[in-house]
Each structure stands twice: as structure tokens, then as C-alpha cells.
């Protein structure tokens, strides 16, 4: 936002963030030292923390904000309750903010939590003042969500849902285990602070710390360490270029429990139409970004023009090989589905596919060796 004057403080938000942080930092450890915590406190903290964060990452973010999959009403209801427990506003409100963020990322006047306004602002400062009050009149960028009865139910009853979950659930556990204060502090306060700031790190730290393997057109970064604390949301550079993919960590070894939850639910019939970015588009984006980085670096060298020409030639050859490979791969898959009667045709196709695969592997190796010199 332009201008020197700051908008008024939102005192309710200031109170919630400040009081919960002070209680977590001072009272939680004091109570632990004087009264002690049991295994049940830790287990229920982990359960509640996971419930809240997955409701945000899978529900608020990948389901409602980006429509990367469809979910059964029962799963949507669970996400709605967990989102209220996470105390990050309603799914409608959250999704509206997030869609604006993606549409105007890094634009200080339009992005609600622009990282270019600094760590503090993008992490929590944007919620402490009335920066965006004029954007919540009709939620016009979320007309699709206004047709979802569960979203609108949660939006209408968000406050009682938030109170019931944040006080009711810890109180219930306290009665069951005979330690109301301990459960309120651990499952109520400590869980809330961890849930808040681990989510907020995606708006702040994930735009500052990490790599940019897919694009440098915005500040988003990929960070495997952040992925651990944010249930897979740390692969943020990928997400900002392929926001309609239900995965953030696209490789099997990348830590993305949100992706695993969504995929597992599809086996149970609770999710469907999981959207995935074609591998060809992903490879092209990575190669294009690598070319951009290398080109900037070689431009500083005396023979920069010649080197840049060589880089571009190698890049074009890689693009041709990629297109040929994925085209023949598609044909092979279609031939299996069609159950071709001509074994000869299928065998020829397989030979061509293997040759294309080998050619692409050689071209990738050549490209990576060249890029590595100027990365």
C-alpha cells in the first residue's frame, strides 16, 4: 500500500497474537516446570497441530483457494472445522486473500502480504492493521466458493466454531485427563501459536529463503526445511508457477504430507479429479530458468555472446528432444489402452520410445554439464 500514514490497528488481532505468544513463551514452560506435562499432552498437541495445519494446507489452500481437486462433503466439513480451529479466518475470507496474492504477487499495492514489503509485514504485520478492509465487501473473486454450502456455513458461523474448537476441545481433553489448565495451555495456546507461525512462514520466509528452480519472476522459493514445518508447503517456487497442481513436492522423496493425504483420500473415494501438471511443462520451466540464470552469468564474460549462443542452441535441442520424447511416450500409453492387434506395430513403437528415451537422457546430460559451468 502506498502512502506514509498507516491504517488503524485491528486490536482484536493484536490481542490474540500477542497474548497467545506471551502465554506460549512464558506460562506454558512455567506450568511445565511446576506441574509437569505427560505423554498425553504431547500426543494431543501433535494431533491438534496436524489437524489444524492440514485443514489449512489441504482444505483452505489446495482445495478451496486453487481448486486442485474435488472433495466429498464429509471431508470438506472436517476441513472447515479444522480451519476454524486453526483460527485463520473463514475459508472464504482466507481464499479471497490468497487468490489476490497469486494474481498480484509482490505488488506492494495489491498483494495483501507482499514479501517485498519485508519479513515482518508479510509474516504478520499485514493482519495487524486495516490494510485490506475494502476487499471484503462481496468476495467477488470467490463466487465459486459462495456456491459451496459448507464454505458458506463455516463463514456464517465462523466465530462460534472458532470458540468451540479453541476452547471446547482443550477443555474436553482436560476433563478426560484431569488437567484442564495443562490441556488449555498445550492443545489450546501452544498449538495455536505453532499453527499460526508455521503457516505464516509460507507468506514470509518462503519468499526469502530457498532456491528458484522454476521461475525468478516472483520472490517465491523452494525450501525443503520449511516443507517439514509447513506440511509440504515449502516447495513454494513450484507452487507459484504451477498453482493448480494438487502437489507442492512433486517428487516421491519430497516431504509433502498434504499431497499424501489428498492422494490417500482419493483411494477411499473422498477426493477426485486431482490435477497434476504435465511433466513436459515442468521440465521446460526448469530448463528455461536454468538458461536464464546461465545467460545472466555468461553475459559478464569476455566471450559472453558466443557462450550465450551455445547455451541457446543446446536449450533448443533439449526442447526438441523433450517434445519428441513425451510425444512418443503418449503414443506408447495410448497403444496399450487401445490393445493393438498388430504386435509388430507395438514393438516398433517401443523401439522408437526407447531410442527417444536414450536420446533425451544424453541431451539432458549434455545440457546439465553445460549449465553447471555457468550456474
Amino acid at each position: 500500500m502506498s502512502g506514509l500514514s498507516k491504517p488503524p490497528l485491528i486490536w482484536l488481532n493484536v490481542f490474540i497474537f500477542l497474548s497467545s505468544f506471551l502465554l506460549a513463551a512464558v506460562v506454558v514452560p512455567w506450568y511445565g516446570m511446576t506441574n509437569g506435562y505427560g505423554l498425553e499432552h504431547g500426543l494431543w498437541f501433535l494431533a491438534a497441530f496436524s489437524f489444524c495445519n492440514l485443514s489449512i494446507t489441504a482444505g483452505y489452500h489446495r482445495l478451496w483457494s486453487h481448486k486442485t481437486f474435488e472433495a466429498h462433503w464429509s471431508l470438506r466439513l472436517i476441513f472447515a472445522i479444522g480451519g476454524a480451529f486453526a483460527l485463520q479466518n473463514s475459508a472464504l475470507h482466507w481464499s479471497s486473500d490468497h487468490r489476490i496474492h497469486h494474481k498480484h504477487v509482490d505488488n506492494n499495492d495489491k498483494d495483501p502480504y507482499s514479501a517485498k514489503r519485508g519479513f515482518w509485514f508479510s509474516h504478520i504485520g499485514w493482519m495487524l492493521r486495516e490494510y485490506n478492509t475494502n476487499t471484503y465487501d462481496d468476495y467477488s473473486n470467490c463466487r465459486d466458493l459462495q456456491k459451496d454450502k459448507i464454505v458458506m456455513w463455516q463463514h456464517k458461523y465462523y466465530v462460534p466454531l472458532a470458540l468451540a474448537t479453541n476452547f471446547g476441545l482443550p477443555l474436553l481433553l482436560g476433563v478426560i485427563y484431569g488437567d484442564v489448565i495443562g490441556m488449555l495451555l498445550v492443545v489450546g495456546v501452544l498449538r495455536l501459536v505453532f499453527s499460526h507461525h508455521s503457516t505464516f512462514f509460507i507468506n514470509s520466509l518462503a519468499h526469502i529463503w530457498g532456491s528458484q528452480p522454476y521461475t525468478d519472476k516472483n520472490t517465491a522459493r523452494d525450501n525443503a526445511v520449511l516443507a517439514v514445518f509447513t506440511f509440504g508447503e515449502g516447495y513454494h517456487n513450484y507452487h507459484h508457477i504451477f498453482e493448480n497442481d494438487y502437489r507442492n513436492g512433486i517428487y516421491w522423496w519430497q516431504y509433502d504430507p498434504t499431497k499424501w493425504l489428498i492422494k490417500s483420500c482419493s483411494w477411499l473415494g473422498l477426493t477426485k479429479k486431482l490435477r497434476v501438471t504435465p511433466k513436459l511443462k515442468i521440465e521446460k520451466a526448469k530448463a528455461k530458468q536454468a538458461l536464464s540464470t546461465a545467460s545472466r552469468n555468461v553475459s559478464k564474460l569476455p566471450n559472453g555472446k558466443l557462450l550465450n549462443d551455445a547455451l541457446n542452441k543446446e536449450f533448443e535441442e533439449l526442447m526438441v528432444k523433450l517434445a519428441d520424447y513425451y510425444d512418443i511416450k503418449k503414443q506408447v500409453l495410448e497403444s496399450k489402452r487401445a490393445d493393438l492387434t498388430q504386435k509388430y506395430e507395438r514393438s516398433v513403437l517401443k523401439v522408437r520410445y526407447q531410442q527417444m528415451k536414450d536420446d533425451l537422457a544424453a541431451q539432458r546430460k549434455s545440457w546439465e554439464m553445460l549449465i553447471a559451468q555457468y550456474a
Side-chain angles (χ1 to χ4, degrees), residues 25 37 84 106 126 133 174 190 226 231 272 289 322 336 342:
Y37 296 118
D106 297 332
W126 70 280
T133 50
L190 188 65
L226 271 180
F231 292 74
K272 62 181 181 179
Q289 177 58 23
L322 280 170
K336 290 179 179 178
Q342 295 294 328

Side-chain angles (χ1 to χ4, degrees), residues 216-272:
D216 59 4
K217 301 298 182 185
N218 58 67
T219 56
R221 303 291 203 271
D222 271 11
N223 191 307
V225 176
L226 271 180
V228 175
F229 297 104
T230 60
F231 292 74
E233 300 284 277
Y235 302 105
H236 209 51
N237 188 252
Y238 177 84
H239 172 64
H240 261 274
I241 191 171
F242 300 119
E243 64 185 62
N244 294 319
D245 197 320
Y246 87 95
R247 312 161 302 168
N248 275 14
I250 59 172
Y251 302 108
W252 68 266
W253 45 266
Q254 290 180 317
Y255 186 80
D256 188 355
T258 302
K259 169 188 68 178
W260 301 332
L261 172 67
I262 296 167
K263 185 64 175 178
S264 298
C265 286
S266 72
W267 300 331
L268 301 173
L270 295 173
T271 62
K272 62 181 181 179

